Amino acid sequence: MQESMFKGWGFFKWLLNIVIVLCTVYLLSLFLNLTFAIGYVVMLIIHEAGHVIAARTYGATVSFGGFTPFGAYITITNETSVKENAIIAISGPLCGLLTTVVYFILCYITRSQNFLWLSFFTGVVSLMNLLPLNPFDGGKVIAATFLYFPLVFIPLLGYGIYYFISSQLWLALVCALIIAYIIYDVIRMRNNNHIELMFQFARSSKVMIFFAYLMILLVLAGMIGAMAFDYGPQLLPRFNHLQLPQDLIPYFIREWLSI
């Protein structure tokens, strides 16, 4: 029988998580509305549920770490192989993709812009989780399959350095830092895999997991791109006049002060 995910939770941990959830809902309600705020919390729960279901399928002992101001997390307290880690990791974004689709269907049925925002935002968050670097879910998938895959982004980032070096130096520096982190992360994953006794599993399994990863990534990117192209003004109706990113923070400060 599986242990409760909340084993070891005391009164103060329950209280802290309730406060974090209520504060998250309150702040999002101020900037957007209550529907979006609740939908955001539901998105987090579904994402973590995907990890939990996959982990328990492998008999892993899972505990819910709790909510944070930026999301939620689980911890696996017993040892799992890198193959199992990859499948557990990819299950979260897969549930995120399904949530993106469900929110978009609700938008189509109800004609509510709230569900359009939720669909787009859930897709963006899930896509970010698929970044092939640690500590994202995508990093755990890549570590178990084709750990050199992140290197394909270096030429693109190198072009970004060339493009921004004369106009936006800080963006060029960001691209350079990302390149450095990609190289570091790939080397670290390679060294870890050399000492990982449970790393060996069939190449066909690696290909299938990596293919599933790419399909989820491409579908999410396609949905986000399609929504941005077709519903851009509805997604960000109040941001159209801004020259991002330099005007974004002052804009939110003005919005906060005007509430």
Side-chain angles (χ1 to χ4, degrees):
M1 183 177 178
Q2 293 279 3
E3 293 182 350
S4 169
M5 291 191 301
F6 303 100
K7 183 180 180 180
W9 278 44
F11 172 78
F12 288 105
K13 188 162 186 177
W14 277 105
L15 180 62
L16 175 63
N17 278 271
I18 291 171
V19 169
I20 289 174
V21 170
L22 291 177
C23 287
T24 300
V25 170
Y26 174 71
L27 289 173
L28 288 175
S29 298
L30 285 180
F31 282 109
L32 293 166
N33 54 59
L34 183 61
T35 301
F36 182 91
I38 294 173
Y40 171 77
V41 174
V42 170
M43 174 201 73
L44 295 179
I45 294 171
I46 293 174
H47 178 96
E48 297 307 323
H51 292 313
V52 170
I53 292 170
R56 288 193 163 180
T57 299
Y58 289 110
T61 303
V62 184
S63 62
F64 183 61
F67 291 94
T68 72
F70 307 102
Y73 67 100
I74 64 166
T75 56
I76 299 174
T77 55
N78 57 337
E79 199 166 339
T80 52
S81 70
V82 289
K83 175 185 176 181
E84 293 168 353
N85 282 340
I87 294 173
I88 293 168
I90 204 174
S91 299
L94 175 60
C95 286
L97 170 60
L98 296 176
T99 309
T100 302
V101 172
V102 169
Y103 279 149
F104 188 79
I105 292 172
L106 289 173
C107 167
Y108 181 80
I109 294 173
T110 64
R111 304 296 180 184
S112 170
Q113 187 166 309
N114 291 323
F115 289 116
L116 179 62
W117 285 344
L118 281 167
S119 180
F120 184 80
F121 184 76
T122 303
V124 170
V125 171
S126 300
L127 192 63
M128 288 180 62
N129 260 300
L130 287 172
L131 287 173
L133 297 169
N134 290 290
F136 300 106
D137 292 331
K140 298 180 180 66
V141 177
I142 293 301
T145 54
F146 299 105
L147 58 89
Y148 296 107
F149 175 71
L151 298 178
V152 303
F153 295 100
I154 290 180
L156 181 63
L157 291 164
Y159 176 77
I161 294 174
Y162 168 78
Y163 183 82
F164 291 118
I165 196 73
S166 60
S167 58
Q168 298 282 347
L169 183 60
W170 70 275
L171 285 174
L173 291 174
V174 169
C175 291
L177 288 173
I178 294 174
I179 289 175
Y181 183 74
I182 287 174
I183 294 171
Y184 161 78
D185 200 45
V186 169
I187 293 172
R188 188 182 63 81
M189 286 190 293
R190 181 176 178 273
N191 292 337
N192 288 345
N193 289 346
H194 279 320
I195 62 174
E196 172 60 74
L197 298 178
M198 295 177 292
F199 181 67
Q200 300 301 322
F201 62 95
R203 177 168 288 274
S204 59
S205 297
K206 292 183 185 180
V207 172
M208 288 179 64
I209 294 170
F210 185 73
F211 180 76
Y213 165 80
L214 283 181
M215 288 300 100
I216 296 171
L217 189 149
L218 291 173
V219 171
L220 279 169
M223 288 189 66
I224 292 168
M227 280 189 277
F229 182 80
D230 291 336
Y231 303 102
Q234 292 111 300
L235 283 169
L236 300 173
R238 301 167 72 184
F239 299 167
N240 291 337
H241 64 287
L242 298 179
Q243 297 297 315
L244 299 180
Q246 60 268 24
D247 290 343
L248 186 57
I249 294 176
Y251 172 81
F252 276 117
I253 291 174
R254 291 195 301 272
E255 286 292 300
W256 177 267
L257 292 175
S258 65
I259 291 173

